[in-house]
């Protein structure tokens, strides 16, 4: 089956200006075309369904792709290392150029009257993924001394107070839920 990311654009390029809506859901990277990221980085599962909703508009010598893409991602909480899931929604506004001599990083190529939206979707999503997600806004993180998950238990580790955390401590005590022991 043809990939929905491959869009024939001969008619668009012939008839300037014209436009074509593109709207589909497809696996992010089913063929593992793109290099995987590190195991602890925020990433999108290769088989995860990505929503692509763009309009291709032709101009003399190329196309502009405008719209948005949406993808579910997975990562690890930067404080407690618990798995975190989320969805990112990215606005897209990129150009495809019908000229094999143009190989800059700002445009995507048009190849044999087709555009491949996969690299564009991949680039757009990876740039927007959160680098350091949180499992929840008030995650207490792990104790740096004994490693206990402070969201689930308490420990008696004592350490010199870092004044930078003073404000956060105030917030924690303001929450009656965390006054458990
Ligand atoms: Zn957490
Ligand atoms: Zn501890």
């Amino acid at each position: 089956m043809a990939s929905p990311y491959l869009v024939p654009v001969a008619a668009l390029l012939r008839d300037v200006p014209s436009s074509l809506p593109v709207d589909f859901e497809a696996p992010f990277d089913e063929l593992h075309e793109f290099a995987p990221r590190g195991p602890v980085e925020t990433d999108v599962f290769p088989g995860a369904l990505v929503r692509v909703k763009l309009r291709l508009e032709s101009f003399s010598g190329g196309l502009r792709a405008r719209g948005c893409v949406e993808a579910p991602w997975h990562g690890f909480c930067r404080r407690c290392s618990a798995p975190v899931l989320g969805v990112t929604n990215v606005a897209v506004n990129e150009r495809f150029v019908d000229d094999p001599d143009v190989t800059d990083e700002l445009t995507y190529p048009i190849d044999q009257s087709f555009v491949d939206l996969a690299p564009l979707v991949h680039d757009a999503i990876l740039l927007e993924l959160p680098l350091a997600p949180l499992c929840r806004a008030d995650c207490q993180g792990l104790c740096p001394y004994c490693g206990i998950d402070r969201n689930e238990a308490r420990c008696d580790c004592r350490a010199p107070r870092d004044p930078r955390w003073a404000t956060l401590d105030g917030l924690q005590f303001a929450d009656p839920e965390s006054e458990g022991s």
Side-chain angles (χ1 to χ4, degrees):
M1 208 179 89
S3 162
Y5 288 102
L6 282 178
V7 181
V9 294
L12 274 180
L13 293 171
R14 247 190 337 257
D15 184 12
V16 176
S18 59
S19 72
L20 175 74
V22 178
D23 189 343
F24 63 86
E25 270 191 345
F28 179 60
D29 183 18
E30 204 169 28
L31 303 174
H32 297 269
E33 255 179 281
F34 302 104
R37 288 153 67 87
V40 296
E41 282 186 276
T42 304
D43 204 356
V44 180
F45 287 118
L49 278 187
V50 170
R51 175 76 188 274
V52 178
K53 200 169 160 66
L54 300 173
R55 179 165 283 273
L56 300 177
E57 298 158 338
S58 63
F59 57 84
S60 177
L63 298 164
R64 184 166 283 282
R66 260 194 265 250
C68 62
V69 296
E70 191 177 87
W73 52 262
H74 63 95
F76 296 94
C77 175
R78 71 168 182 261
R79 290 190 197 146
C80 74
S81 303
V84 188
L85 299 175
V87 172
T88 190
N89 194 309
V90 194
V92 169
N93 188 351
E94 301 291 341
R95 283 186 308 148
F96 287 85
V97 176
D98 192 11
D99 181 348
D101 295 332
V102 176
T103 52
D104 60 54
E105 300 212 325
L106 301 172
T107 61
Y108 294 90
I110 297 175
D111 189 17
Q112 317 263 6
S113 300
F114 277 83
V115 292
D116 183 0
L117 296 176
L120 177 153
V121 167
H122 185 263
D123 293 349
I125 290 171
L126 290 197
L127 279 173
E128 286 296 317
L129 290 178
L131 293 173
L134 287 174
C135 63
R136 57 184 215 225
D138 65 345
C139 172
Q140 312 283 306
L142 304 180
C143 171
Y145 303 99
C146 70
I148 208 170
D149 185 342
R150 288 164 165 170
N151 297 307
E152 292 171 356
R154 295 202 156 200
C155 57
D156 294 321
C157 302
R158 299 233 179 268
R161 275 299 186 193
D162 183 330
R164 283 175 299 174
W165 295 102
T167 331
L168 282 181
D169 286 341
L171 287 175
Q172 289 168 21
F173 287 118
D175 177 7
E177 295 290 309
S178 60
E179 288 286 285
S181 64

